[in-house]
Amino acid sequence: LARLLLALLLPLAAARLPAAPRAGEPFPRLADHALEGSLPELEGRLLLVDFWASWCAPCKAAFPALARIHADYAPRGVTIVG
């Protein structure tokens, strides 16, 4: 029964989700979602968005690599938001 309910409800839930942005498209407005914060001025910059959680060990393990990417590429127009 649980699998049947999941099979019936999952497509309905997925249909309500907005399409994911594609490379080159403008970043979605944060105000349209239940997120907090704001983005810096991004016109003409490449944006890397890193969604992470404080309890996620792999997320935290990625911080040093993201810091290196920021140090190497920020002068070339790359912005990292996480």
Side-chain angles (χ1 to χ4, degrees):
L1 182 61
R3 286 185 184 184
L4 177 61
L5 287 175
L6 183 61
L8 292 173
L9 295 177
L10 190 58
L12 293 174
R16 295 175 183 253
L17 296 174
R22 295 177 181 220
E25 291 182 353
F27 193 78
R29 289 174 16 101
L30 291 181
D32 293 344
H33 306 282
L35 302 174
E36 297 179 10
S38 62
L39 293 172
E41 179 55 45
L42 300 170
E43 188 70 33
R45 298 184 64 84
L46 177 70
L47 177 65
L48 185 154
V49 180
D50 180 40
F51 291 94
W52 59 275
S54 60
W55 48 262
C56 175
C59 300
K60 292 191 281 186
F63 291 166
L66 291 171
R68 286 191 302 274
I69 292 169
H70 171 72
D72 293 344
Y73 292 97
R76 300 184 214 173
V78 175
T79 299
I80 299 176
V81 177

